Amino acid sequence: MKHVFGPVSSRRLGQSLGVDVLPPKSCTWNCLYCQLGRTRECVTERREFFPREEILEEIRQAIGNPHAIDWITFVGSGETTLYKGLGWLIGETKKITDIPVAVITNGSLLSVEEVRQELLHADAVLPSLNAGSPELFMRIDRPAAGFSYERHVEGLVEFRNVYRGKLWIEVMLIDGLNDSVEALQDIAGALEKIRPDTVHLVLPTRPSGDADVRLPSDEAVARARLVLSRVAKVVHPAKGSMSLRDPGDIIETVASITRRHPLQEHELRHALDELLPDEPGRVGRIIEQLLESGRFKTVTLPDNEVYWVPARES
Ligand code: SF4
């Protein structure tokens, strides 16, 4: 399995070299909004799913290529901290490069001392907090048995107490679920205890397959910014875009991105236009070749946005 992908343009981390340390899909939660589809069976035991040296070697090779990389980002096809060698990988990566290291996580295992210790040397940790009450937490994040809301918040608080890097909490705002004044005040109450450096407000712009997951209104986004900014600086990143830097391996690059999340067709076209500014005809041919490869299919949502997903997905 190829673990390293990108660099891709990330909403929060600029040019981010992704490192996926998990087999899909391995997660402690089964979020309503998950872009990876349903968690068929939650995974709760940490394991070294792949040899750590194999992953480190891929990172070493990737940073040897002449690409601009702002962050090396550990992100799993599921919950990243389920990978047992994560602390070792962070430490070894920092020995071979000065590029800062980030970890994207749902934060569910921060209640475990070993996991908190392993993340201490990351430059930024980005856990999730989507609810301010046990009821909404169960409804939105649908965790494995034993992963209660109280345990989640306590883990985040305990981590904050020992972590000196950047703690950026991600709040996924979902229409009709956590975007009311009351729900947002509850989230703000939990954030007050956690004391993050910033809160990243994100929206379910990618298809999850669940009809209950709808984009919040502009008014709800403004409300969330207002309520949560009483506790921490709120960043509402612009919609992401991808970038392609190597025309030689476009099929593999697109495959590595769509394996992790559906790709908006306009993002793909924009990235190809940027890569081949003097060859507009070639962009159309590449799109055709990608479709003819049989590895992708397109899905059109009710708002007419077209997404690319792996052909095997339903
Ligand atoms: S924590 Fe992330 S990977 Fe796991 S179910 Fe939720 S959105 Fe999906």
Side-chain angles (χ1 to χ4, degrees):
M1 176 176 166
K2 201 163 178 282
H3 300 285
V4 174
F5 58 98
V8 292
S9 230
S10 145
R11 287 182 288 197
R12 295 162 290 177
L13 297 163
Q15 291 300 316
S16 164
L17 185 77
V19 185
D20 187 350
V21 290
L22 299 174
K25 174 192 175 184
S26 313
C27 199
T28 49
W29 291 358
N30 177 26
C31 302
L32 268 182
Y33 61 85
C34 187
Q35 309 154 9
L36 301 172
R38 276 193 57 211
T39 310
R40 292 188 198 289
E41 198 175 337
C42 284
V43 178
T44 55
E45 294 273 322
R46 302 188 75 213
R47 278 185 31 211
E48 188 167 331
F49 295 93
F50 304 101
R52 52 184 75 185
E53 289 82 5
E54 176 185 309
I55 302 174
L56 183 64
E57 184 51 33
E58 274 191 43
I59 296 172
R60 189 178 281 119
Q61 283 178 18
I63 58 180
N65 290 331
H67 296 322
I69 301 171
D70 298 317
W71 287 86
I72 295 173
T73 307
F74 288 94
V75 51
S77 295
E79 171 40 31
T80 318
T81 62
L82 281 169
Y83 185 77
K84 206 165 171 48
L86 188 59
W88 182 88
L89 270 177
I90 293 169
E92 292 302 307
T93 302
K94 292 191 73 68
K95 282 183 197 165
I96 58 174
T97 179
D98 291 334
I99 300 170
V101 170
V103 177
I104 295 181
T105 167
N106 63 18
S108 59
L109 290 167
L110 288 173
S111 52
V112 178
E113 164 78 19
E114 174 188 81
V115 174
R116 292 198 295 275
Q117 289 299 320
E118 288 189 27
L119 295 192
L120 285 184
H121 297 295
D123 298 280
V125 175
L126 292 81
S128 300
L129 181 77
N130 303 314
S133 69
E135 295 71 30
L136 260 187
F137 175 68
M138 298 310 278
R139 215 165 137 200
I140 295 174
D141 296 316
R142 303 186 296 193
F147 285 76
S148 68
Y149 175 71
E150 291 77 9
R151 174 179 165 177
H152 183 57
V153 174
E154 275 163 28
L156 290 166
V157 171
E158 286 189 43
F159 183 59
R160 172 76 292 180
N161 287 342
V162 293
Y163 180 58
R164 299 290 164 255
K166 296 177 173 64
L167 184 64
W168 296 336
I169 299 269
E170 176 176 303
V171 178
M172 175 66 77
L173 197 66
I174 306 171
D175 175 55
L177 280 174
N178 60 357
D179 63 346
S180 67
V181 174
E182 190 187 20
L184 289 165
Q185 282 173 339
D186 286 346
I187 294 173
L191 287 171
E192 242 166 330
K193 295 186 208 148
I194 299 163
R195 295 177 290 115
D197 295 291
T198 51
V199 172
H200 289 184
L201 204 54
V202 292
L203 309 181
T205 50
R206 294 186 167 125
S208 67
D210 195 305
D212 282 348
V213 177
R214 296 179 305 268
L215 273 173
S217 64
D218 291 346
E219 189 192 337
V221 174
R223 182 162 58 232
R225 292 186 76 141
L226 188 69
V227 174
L228 302 183
S229 64
R230 290 180 198 143
V231 181
K233 181 176 170 208
V234 177
V235 181
H236 176 35
K239 225 159 144 185
S241 61
M242 65 173 287
S243 68
L244 291 168
R245 291 169 176 268
D246 180 4
D249 205 8
I250 285 172
I251 288 188
E252 285 312 317
T253 302
V254 173
S256 73
I257 294 169
T258 56
R259 256 203 315 276
R260 292 166 179 90
H261 61 73
L263 172 63
Q264 283 180 319
E265 184 167 284
H266 77 81
E267 281 183 53
L268 173 61
R269 285 187 181 276
H270 179 72
L272 287 168
D273 285 341
E274 281 197 332
L275 181 71
L276 306 162
D278 304 322
E279 303 172 75
R282 208 172 143 206
V283 171
R285 287 200 299 281
I286 289 176
I287 294 272
E288 279 170 25
Q289 281 166 8
L290 286 167
L291 285 171
E292 282 166 11
S293 73
R295 295 179 63 180
F296 314 101
K297 65 179 183 179
T298 57
V299 177
T300 306
L301 293 195
D303 60 0
N304 288 328
E305 196 74 66
V306 178
Y307 286 84
W308 284 49
V309 296
R312 67 174 188 285
E313 281 192 2
S314 57

